[in-house]
Amino acid sequence: MEKIRIYNENGEDTGRVVTRGEYKPADGEFMLAAVMIVRIGEKVLITKRDKNKSFAGMWEFPGGAVHADEDSKTAGIRELMEETGITVVPDKFNYLGQLNIDGSSLLMDVYDVEANPHLKLKDIKLQPGETAEAKILTVDQIDEMYDRLTLADQMIFDEFVVCMDEYYE
């Protein structure tokens, strides 16, 4: 069973550790996830959620829950490796900010991740039960499939991805 920490609305650790899936956060309590915007050259990686997960078949940026014994950057590195087989060094990460979906109990630390610019789809190792497919797309191509992103990933796209062109200037 995964142990996770509970945070307040300001993203501060409350000191509480609970078992994921057995605890529903009360008002003002939040779980933390790490989300990776993986840049491969001038494109971005997105993954499709497995058919047996919530939001089945929706597209998202890789990431997942932060365990009680790790920080969000460490969780992001772990989740990226688990879901895609991609390894990146910590100095290729840039913290972009934290988001919360109104009415949800999830805080999301969002990172920009620079992957090997020669990475190809055939190099990605999908995690059974988590990821069903992956695509490496331009920002414009992701925008064209915006309605197939989860609500959280639409927020991430709006807040952080649409401005990715700044990295290429």
Side-chain angles (χ1 to χ4, degrees):
M1 294 288 197
E2 291 179 4
K3 296 289 187 182
I4 59 169
R5 295 189 174 282
I6 299 297
Y7 297 83
N8 67 21
E9 63 275 357
N10 298 316
E12 299 163 334
D13 185 350
T14 65
R16 296 188 57 209
V17 175
V18 299
T19 301
R20 184 177 178 195
E22 294 181 3
Y23 177 79
K24 183 177 183 329
D27 287 343
E29 293 183 333
F30 298 86
M31 295 177 284
L32 183 62
V35 179
M36 309 290 111
I37 300 172
V38 181
R39 290 184 295 115
I40 303 163
E42 293 186 14
K43 295 185 176 184
V44 177
L45 173 71
I46 60 171
T47 57
K48 187 176 188 180
R49 295 177 65 85
D50 186 81
K51 65 182 178 184
N52 296 314
K53 290 189 67 160
S54 58
F55 307 105
M58 300 294 287
W59 290 88
E60 65 184 355
F61 302 100
V66 176
H67 295 169
D69 62 347
E70 61 189 359
D71 60 27
S72 67
K73 189 175 188 178
T74 302
I77 293 169
R78 175 185 51 76
E79 286 285 347
L80 187 59
M81 176 59 173
E82 288 174 0
E83 293 181 4
T84 67
I86 296 173
T87 57
V88 291
V89 293
D91 67 347
K92 296 291 184 177
F93 278 67
N94 181 34
Y95 178 74
L96 298 176
Q98 190 171 79
L99 292 177
N100 171 253
I101 302 171
D102 289 339
S104 84
S105 59
L106 182 65
L107 295 173
M108 299 173 291
D109 279 350
V110 182
Y111 292 87
D112 165 59
V113 181
E114 181 184 344
N116 179 336
H118 305 293
L119 185 74
K120 305 287 185 227
L121 276 178
K122 66 178 179 62
D123 302 323
I124 296 173
K125 309 290 186 256
L126 300 176
Q127 182 183 19
E130 290 286 329
T131 49
E133 191 177 339
K135 291 184 179 192
I136 300 171
L137 303 172
T138 65
V139 172
D140 288 341
Q141 289 170 318
I142 297 171
D143 190 35
E144 290 173 8
M145 56 187 296
Y146 184 85
D147 61 334
R148 296 187 339 217
L149 296 172
T150 69
L151 178 60
D153 292 280
Q154 288 176 351
M155 286 180 60
I156 292 164
F157 182 85
D158 292 342
E159 185 73 23
F160 301 112
V161 179
V162 293
C163 62
M164 295 305 275
D165 290 340
E166 296 172 9
Y167 292 105
Y168 308 122
E169 294 177 353

